[in-house]
Amino acid sequence: MLFGATAQAAPQAANPMEKAIEWAMGIAADNRHGYSQGKENATASRPYTGSREGPDYDCSSLIYHALDQAGFPVIAAWQKNPAYWSRYQGKQLTGDADTLWTDLQKLGGFQKYPWYAVKNSLQRGDILCNPGYHIAIYVGNGWTVEARGVNNPIGGDWRTGDQGGEIDCYSAYGRGWTEVYRYTGK
């Protein structure tokens, strides 16, 4: 498991993103939590068995829940987002990688940067995103914590729980990120 191999930067106590990181790292370290996009999104080739809202998560639901656990009411913001009804008829508790920025803007305190502008100066707690594709939290020293599913370097399975690398720490680089959302408090 890559999780144990990561070296972490010193926590920034004043940054509330530390709570989001701690929660997500706890989920990654606990094999009862794996990857799922939810039974409602299951197909023959992707037979998800769990919920995407816990104990299993997909990339965006992991980030939404981590932020919510850190005191950012982003799930409530999502449920006021027009996409909550138009896309999911109010049935998906958390949004997606392509809705997170809209929801963070409602909360305030976050700035959006293009990946190319900050890729060499990432900060612990940055949210790395390629909207419509994938999202993760940067934990320092070139690593992210994220839900990658069975398409990760270690493997995995469609069953509930982690059968290998489904939620874990991975290199932040060479991943196709296009945006970075940083908590600035402003």
Side-chain angles (χ1 to χ4, degrees):
M1 182 173 183
L2 289 176
F3 176 80
T6 65
Q8 297 179 21
Q12 300 167 352
N15 186 350
M17 286 300 294
E18 280 303 316
K19 289 182 182 178
I21 292 168
E22 289 172 19
W23 184 85
M25 295 288 278
I27 295 296
D30 184 343
N31 287 338
R32 293 175 294 177
H33 304 282
Y35 184 89
S36 180
Q37 290 183 340
K39 292 177 191 175
E40 62 277 2
N41 295 314
T43 66
S45 63
R46 292 184 165 114
Y48 303 118
T49 58
S51 165
R52 70 185 291 272
E53 309 300 344
D56 294 338
Y57 300 91
D58 67 7
C59 65
S60 55
S61 66
L62 181 73
I63 304 305
Y64 270 85
H65 282 282
L67 289 166
D68 209 61
Q69 291 290 320
F72 297 103
V74 69
I75 293 174
W78 157 247
Q79 293 173 349
K80 293 176 184 167
N81 185 325
Y84 176 67
W85 292 105
S86 65
R87 267 192 212 177
Y88 301 110
Q89 298 74 48
K91 296 178 182 173
Q92 185 167 294
L93 179 65
T94 56
D96 298 315
D98 65 343
T99 63
L100 182 62
W101 177 243
T102 300
D103 298 332
L104 290 176
Q105 286 178 292
K106 290 177 189 172
L107 300 180
F110 286 86
Q111 297 291 317
K112 178 167 75 169
Y113 301 93
W115 169 255
Y116 69 84
V118 296
K119 68 181 180 181
N120 294 322
S121 59
L122 293 174
Q123 296 178 11
R124 187 170 161 89
D126 283 350
I127 299 169
L128 312 183
C129 189
N130 182 339
Y133 174 67
H134 194 56
I135 195 162
I137 299 175
Y138 184 72
V139 297
N141 294 336
W143 292 90
T144 62
V145 61
E146 59 190 279
R148 277 185 77 173
V150 300
N151 297 320
N152 69 69
I154 298 172
D157 195 305
W158 302 105
R159 292 174 288 146
T160 296
D162 191 350
Q163 287 81 48
E166 295 175 20
I167 301 177
D168 215 330
C169 291
Y170 293 96
S171 173
Y173 296 97
R175 304 284 303 287
W177 306 118
T178 59
E179 300 174 354
V180 175
Y181 313 142
R182 179 174 293 163
Y183 179 71
T184 61
K186 300 174 186 174

